[in-house]
Amino acid sequence: QVQLVESGGGLVQAGGSLRLSCAASGRTFSSYTMGWFRQAPGTEREFVSVISWNGGITYYADSVKGRFTISRDNAKNTVYLQMNSLKPEDTAVYYCAAVASYDRSSWLQYSRYNYWGQGTQVTVSS
């Protein structure tokens, strides 16, 4: 069992930055691939970024590539999402999630994730 708690969301002007954190409980954090997803009102949950269990592999959605950076600290059981050059279209609830799978094709699909946090709101004003 893994419990995830996100923090770091808030209101920021376009062009600004935020750093999201996701703290995980449990001693098996380092065995999970961790993803960030987001969901805006009236839309489906969409993939943002993912980092493999050892941090060696990362993927990004095209919409955030070059602006967002995912990282993890397994000693602190925490995954981060540094978001720079934020745009109003980045406004959403951001969720972190954990998946116990080595199948990379599953990492982009929210339905394949085993555990989810409660989400943190990010609002970017124009």
Side-chain angles (χ1 to χ4, degrees), residues 10-18 85-88 123-126:
L11 173 64
V12 64
Q13 288 189 331
S17 298
L18 284 174
S85 302
L86 283 161
K87 304 176 181 179
T123 303
V124 184
S125 63
S126 58

Side-chain angles (χ1 to χ4, degrees), residues 8-116:
L11 173 64
V12 64
Q13 288 189 331
S17 298
L18 284 174
R19 188 195 196 200
L20 305 184
S21 299
C22 174
S25 65
R27 292 174 291 179
T28 59
F29 173 75
S30 60
S31 65
Y32 286 89
T33 288
M34 299 298 296
W36 285 97
F37 290 78
R38 67 186 182 186
Q39 188 168 18
T43 68
E44 288 194 355
R45 193 164 298 190
E46 66 171 350
F47 167 77
V48 176
S49 184
V50 63
I51 187 167
S52 62
W53 61 96
N54 62 356
I57 302 169
T58 59
Y59 294 124
Y60 297 91
D62 288 342
S63 58
V64 307
K65 202 171 295 183
R67 300 188 297 122
F68 291 11
T69 303
I70 192 170
S71 61
R72 67 188 295 162
D73 185 339
N74 285 344
K76 295 182 178 180
N77 280 14
T78 303
V79 62
Y80 305 97
L81 186 68
Q82 177 66 44
M83 307 186 295
N84 299 328
S85 302
L86 283 161
K87 304 176 181 179
E89 51 264 43
D90 294 320
T91 295
V93 178
Y94 284 70
Y95 299 89
C96 71
V99 59
S101 172
Y102 297 111
D103 177 9
R104 299 183 193 183
S105 66
S106 71
W107 294 355
L108 277 61
Q109 304 170 43
Y110 71 84
S111 61
R112 301 295 297 272
Y113 281 71
N114 306 101
Y115 303 103
W116 290 86

